[in-house]
Amino acid sequence: MFSYETLKKILFKFEPETAHHIAEFGLKALGKCRIAKAYMEKKNYISNPKLTQEVFGVTFANPVGLAAGFDKNATMIKAMKSLGFGFTEIGTMTPRPQDGNPKPRMFRYPEQKSVQNAMGFNNLGAHTVLKNLKKVYPFSIPIGVNIGKNKTTPEEFALSDYKTLIKKFETTNDYLVINISSPNTPNLRDLQNEKFITELFVMAKEMTNKPILLKIAPDMEASVAIDLCKCAVNAGADGIIATNTTIDYSLVPNCQNFGGLSGACLTQKSANLFKELARELFGKTILISVGGISNGAQAYERIKNGATLVQAYSGLIFEGPSMVRKINEEILELLSKDGFENIKDAIGANLK
């Protein structure tokens, strides 16, 4: 039998970015093949009333979504349900096409089940991504749209880039995500300040009724992160996604000194910051947790700590296409073990 472990050995012979392109090719093909897609959906996609919830006025059949960064150009959406995801997030995309940073810019660390990327918002640009998105939206699972500024856009004109993107994608998303937390665009994280966040969300809420969320980095002090998130919520943000990749290079021995680390090395750091944020923000806004989640116990702990939804990405590289199904199956087992009838009863249970 051809297992993912066999496929992984083959993929890991290629450079990480090349392997990603191979995976993209395969998932695009899967999305076009009805028989294969139906088979994979039946195998991996879990739609259980105990996991189903309404968020942002949209139905999420299960709480596990694909994090931004994997499907930058909205080319793989049709295959996401086949991988078991309850929702997907495309991007990050920028107003103009962008090549990203020089190669090599992606590195894998199999022993630590971690990845490092310095991609730099490489994408085909808002016009092309929107064309791709319009072919599938609305889809059978919710789609989030993650947006960022172009590398060449000066900081003082950053607001204009986000304005352009919000206007462009206004009718083709179930929620929007403001990305000012990637470590791979120079000075982008400098926008994680109260003045810019207030201006951005006040502007955004005047432009669209769609839910708009802020994605934050894991590398700031918890008190600073809490203040920024409170500022965003007060200015109109509908939710917080925590966290992006980390620049704490002490987490992986002999890693590169640039780019962001994700995967298992980020699990504890992301979980700790999320826990601190949720203590202050749970019940006041929607919280989505991402960072080093690859099994049901990790996902369930984030849920009990206040996450309405969780996201994964790097774990897929090491665990394969059955990962999301296993996460959802484990969440169901843990819900039953704790005597919860529905996932909604478990959300924030550790805070009540």
Side-chain angles (χ1 to χ4, degrees), residues 273-291:
L273 182 60
F274 181 81
K275 196 173 181 179
E276 294 292 324
L277 285 172
R279 280 180 186 155
E280 296 288 331
L281 292 165
F282 177 69
K284 298 172 185 173
T285 194
I286 296 294
L287 300 173
I288 299 177
S289 189
V290 55

Side-chain angles (χ1 to χ4, degrees), residues 96 149-161 191:
R96 299 177 301 284
K149 82 171 190 72
N150 276 110
K151 182 178 180 178
T152 54
T153 301
E155 199 174 312
E156 60 268 29
F157 297 117
L159 209 62
S160 177
D161 272 14
L191 299 178

